[in-house]
Amino acid sequence: MKHTKLKYILSIPLAMAIGSGCSKFNEINTNPNKTTQVTSAMLATNIILSITKNSIGSTKGFMQPYLLGKYLTWGEGQENLQYNRLGRSSFDRLTLLRNVPPMIAAAQNEGQQRSFKALGHFVRAWQFFHTTMQVGDIPYTEAVKGETDNIIQPRYDTQKEVFMGIINELDSANNLFAQGADFSGDPVYNGKADNWRRLANSFQLHVLMNLHRKTGDADLDVINRFREIATNRPLMRSYEDNFALAYNATAGQNYPWSDVPAGSGNSFVKSNYTMLSATLIDPMKAMNDRRLFYYAKPSPVKIAGGMQPSDWNAYRGAEPSDAFPVLQDMRVSKDYSDLNNRYVNLVNAEPVSVFSYQEQQFILSEAAVRGWITGTPAQEYYAAGITNAMKFTAAYTPDLTDYHHNMKIDDAYIQDYITANTLTGSEQNQLKQIITQKYIAGFLQGCNYNAWYEQRRTGYPEFVLNSSTNLNTPTTQFPLRWLYPSNELSYNTKNLDQAIQRQFSEGDNVNGVMWILKD
């Protein structure tokens, strides 16, 4: 009672102060240099940066997807992702979608409103896609409706229903961007509605290719949908259309692995924790792929032994499934290839794509091999993917010996490389070639574990399964998914339990086979 009485006594002068001084308080605490109204452009900027900059990460976080994708190893300590241990996922991506309705509502005219609606559909499709790819069934229809409909425990849609929703959202994005105006607040495409339309269509090709096991499903109609988009809709045109974040010298906007300016505190770079993997290096050596000299630097031991930096044999990759002490011995010996110095020395080493034209072309090539599209040979798409991947790397690499080791990529070399590595053999062998090229092009590009998803989907590239170091249980297989978020266990138990029971007979298990992986 004493505490209650005190509360009321204190509230009286407080109320008097509020009544007499409210206007004064507002006057003192209003910053005349900042807006007091949130605009569509401001919300668009936040949304776009959330799915680019915030997804890419920096320093050690930047490397996590590439550890799971077996591009490199990490020497600071035994990393779970390098050794295939998947933990709990998060639905945090979905909270961003609460910004979509106010972004649309604040639009100043009909043309911009169409574009902001289109952007909202694209971002919803993007976030739901990457969330379902991790776990399987997720909330979709009732997701993010706590404020608008008071649904704080959303039901889970089946993964098929989620993919149907994603496809429909991307169709809506295409239609609305076609009618929309350019808009403000876009740090990637400068608000060009045409670029966003092309991205939405190209990304839908990626979504549909992940449904290649579901071509018999009449509701999805995967092949006809894919063919219609590839034939009739505008798509990305070159690597200059990549959905990518560019970096610069402004503090906080440096390339994620840069150690510039000196003393910036990127201790991970200085400690040489990274070793490039044999999974990445060996295929490039086998195909005489000069991107090796742009991605890596030679083994100091090989150089000390008399080899030149332009010698293919001067580059040695680590096997990421080797026991951690074995990799530590290799690291101490210095007989390995680390990241090329350009990634460390340049504040703007290269834009980091979260979806690229190169990926689009390899997807089209795969579709042609599978017989989904006709007219243009798979080889033509494949060659365009390689060409743009190589030109992208060369375009963003200064002409310094330390960055390409006198093994420069030019048009003549690219043509010779494509001729020497043309698609050949069975359908399966051609798919292996396409995914291998997609893997090489994805080095320090993309995010959201794309390389791992591709390996899960196709079996390529072939990761080494070492049962003596594999942290998955059982050690004789790779995991297939993350576990559901812990807060769903606590606050949405009934709906989560129903979703788990209809998907996985053994419960919420990292080895559970989600719907898209079933034939």
Side-chain angles (χ1 to χ4, degrees):
M1 290 295 295
K2 291 182 180 179
H3 293 296
T4 305
K5 192 172 184 179
L6 178 62
K7 179 178 71 174
Y8 283 111
I9 291 172
L10 290 174
S11 69
I12 294 171
L14 178 61
M16 293 174 63
I18 291 174
S20 62
C22 185
S23 60
K24 187 74 172 177
F25 177 87
N26 289 338
E27 180 182 342
I28 294 172
N29 288 278
T30 298
N31 185 343
N33 298 317
K34 289 187 176 182
T35 181
T36 58
Q37 183 176 359
V38 176
T39 65
S40 295
M42 291 168 63
L43 290 168
T45 301
N46 172 263
I47 287 171
I48 294 167
L49 289 178
S50 291
I51 65 173
T52 53
K53 182 179 180 180
N54 293 353
S55 291
I56 292 167
S58 61
T59 57
K60 184 178 180 180
F62 178 52
M63 293 298 169
Q64 293 301 310
Y66 310 109
L67 291 173
L68 185 59
K70 316 308 177 196
Y71 283 106
L72 44 79
T73 72
W74 191 262
E76 182 187 18
Q78 182 170 280
E79 288 290 318
N80 284 340
L81 291 184
Q82 181 180 325
Y83 291 100
N84 313 308
R85 175 175 284 166
L86 300 182
R88 295 205 171 274
S89 61
S90 168
F91 287 173
D92 287 351
R93 286 179 170 277
L94 304 185
T95 60
L96 173 70
L97 304 181
R98 292 179 298 190
N99 289 339
V100 169
M103 175 183 69
I104 297 168
Q108 297 298 306
N109 57 63
E110 188 175 351
Q112 287 209 345
Q113 187 176 63
R114 289 195 187 104
S115 289
F116 285 123
K117 281 183 179 178
L119 178 62
H121 282 300
F122 173 80
V123 171
R124 282 175 55 85
W126 182 271
Q127 297 294 70
F128 282 119
F129 173 79
H130 288 295
T131 303
T132 190
M133 287 290 283
Q134 284 198 320
V135 295
D137 293 2
I138 59 170
Y140 172 71
T141 306
E142 296 183 352
V144 206
K145 290 190 175 181
E147 294 179 1
T148 58
D149 297 85
N150 198 33
I151 299 175
I152 59 175
Q153 294 177 317
R155 69 174 177 85
Y156 280 61
D157 296 80
T158 67
Q159 194 168 43
K160 175 181 172 178
E161 291 169 333
V162 175
F163 269 87
M164 286 294 298
I166 290 168
I167 289 167
N168 290 335
E169 301 244 27
L170 291 170
D171 283 341
S172 295
N174 167 65
N175 295 332
L176 287 163
F177 276 131
Q179 305 167 39
D182 292 347
F183 58 94
S184 301
D186 172 17
V188 175
Y189 291 130
N190 197 29
K192 300 296 183 184
D194 180 65
N195 284 86
W196 281 98
R197 184 185 182 197
R198 292 174 185 278
L199 171 63
N201 293 329
S202 299
F203 180 62
Q204 187 168 172
L205 297 181
H206 175 63
V207 171
L208 291 168
M209 187 53 71
N210 275 277
L211 296 170
H212 71 88
R213 289 182 173 86
K214 306 299 179 182
T215 54
D217 190 302
D219 297 326
L220 292 165
D221 198 18
V222 171
I223 295 175
N224 286 328
R225 287 179 188 272
F226 191 102
R227 185 179 295 131
E228 188 276 326
I229 295 168
T231 304
N232 299 321
R233 297 191 195 180
L235 301 173
M236 300 165 84
R237 295 156 294 189
S238 74
Y239 71 80
E240 293 181 347
D241 283 345
N242 288 357
F243 187 37
L245 192 67
Y247 297 87
N248 57 59
T250 305
Q253 298 180 24
N254 301 163
Y255 181 75
W257 199 241
S258 169
D259 190 33
V260 178
S264 61
N266 193 344
S267 60
F268 296 119
V269 169
K270 297 172 185 176
S271 300
N272 296 319
Y273 286 140
T274 51
M275 297 192 294
L276 299 193
S277 76
T279 314
L280 174 68
I281 286 180
D282 289 355
M284 289 197 287
K285 290 170 69 172
M287 293 185 288
N288 292 328
D289 192 322
R290 289 190 181 181
R291 282 173 290 185
L292 172 67
F293 301 96
Y294 288 72
Y295 289 178
K297 55 186 178 185
S299 157
V301 172
K302 298 294 191 290
I303 298 301
M307 289 186 183
Q308 295 298 311
S310 58
D311 190 326
W312 297 94
N313 291 320
Y315 295 79
R316 184 186 179 203
E319 170 47 54
S321 68
D322 280 349
F324 185 70
V326 173
L327 293 176
Q328 285 295 76
D329 289 343
M330 184 178 185
R331 181 167 169 257
V332 171
S333 77
K334 301 189 182 301
D335 190 13
Y336 66 89
S337 289
D338 200 351
L339 289 162
N340 189 290
N341 283 336
R342 69 190 178 96
Y343 297 110
V344 178
N345 295 343
L346 302 175
V347 293
N348 57 343
E350 61 189 19
V352 176
S353 301
V354 289
F355 190 80
S356 71
Y357 171 81
Q358 297 90 290
E359 290 178 79
Q360 171 193 286
Q361 294 307 98
F362 292 129
I363 291 165
L364 289 166
S365 183
E366 180 176 345
V369 168
R370 292 185 183 277
W372 292 9
I373 53 176
T374 57
T376 301
Q379 174 64 30
E380 189 170 325
Y381 294 121
Y382 175 76
I386 293 172
T387 298
N388 276 266
M390 288 190 170
K391 285 191 171 183
F392 169 85
T393 297
Y396 288 100
T397 303
D399 188 9
L400 297 175
T401 300
D402 196 35
Y403 296 161
H404 54 59
H405 303 109
N406 288 322
M407 294 292 277
K408 294 173 66 174
I409 293 173
D410 55 25
D411 289 345
Y413 165 75
I414 292 173
Q415 188 55 56
D416 289 344
Y417 178 89
I418 291 170
T419 301
N421 295 285
T422 187
L423 290 175
T424 58
S426 66
E427 176 180 315
Q428 195 62 32
N429 189 68
Q430 291 182 53
L431 292 176
K432 178 179 180 180
Q433 289 180 276
I434 293 166
I435 302 303
T436 298
Q437 287 295 334
K438 187 188 288 190
Y439 181 77
I440 294 171
F443 178 63
L444 301 189
Q445 292 292 313
C447 61
N448 305 308
Y449 311 103
N450 289 348
W452 186 78
Y453 290 143
E454 286 293 280
Q455 204 280 336
R456 180 181 71 175
R457 180 177 73 87
T458 67
Y460 302 119
E462 297 172 356
F463 295 164
V464 174
L465 180 60
N466 185 341
S467 60
S468 66
T469 62
N470 185 13
L471 295 181
N472 188 44
T473 303
T475 59
T476 53
Q477 67 185 68
F478 290 114
L480 294 174
R481 57 182 293 275
W482 279 259
L483 301 175
Y484 279 108
S486 57
N487 57 359
E488 287 291 288
L489 292 171
S490 301
Y491 302 113
N492 198 13
T493 309
K494 180 180 177 181
N495 290 314
L496 175 59
D497 284 346
Q498 290 176 350
I500 292 171
Q501 288 170 17
R502 71 173 174 242
Q503 293 178 92
F504 311 118
S505 59
E506 296 182 357
D508 191 11
N509 191 297
V510 294
N511 303 304
V513 183
M514 64 178 66
W515 174 78
I516 58 166
L517 302 178
K518 294 179 180 178
D519 293 320

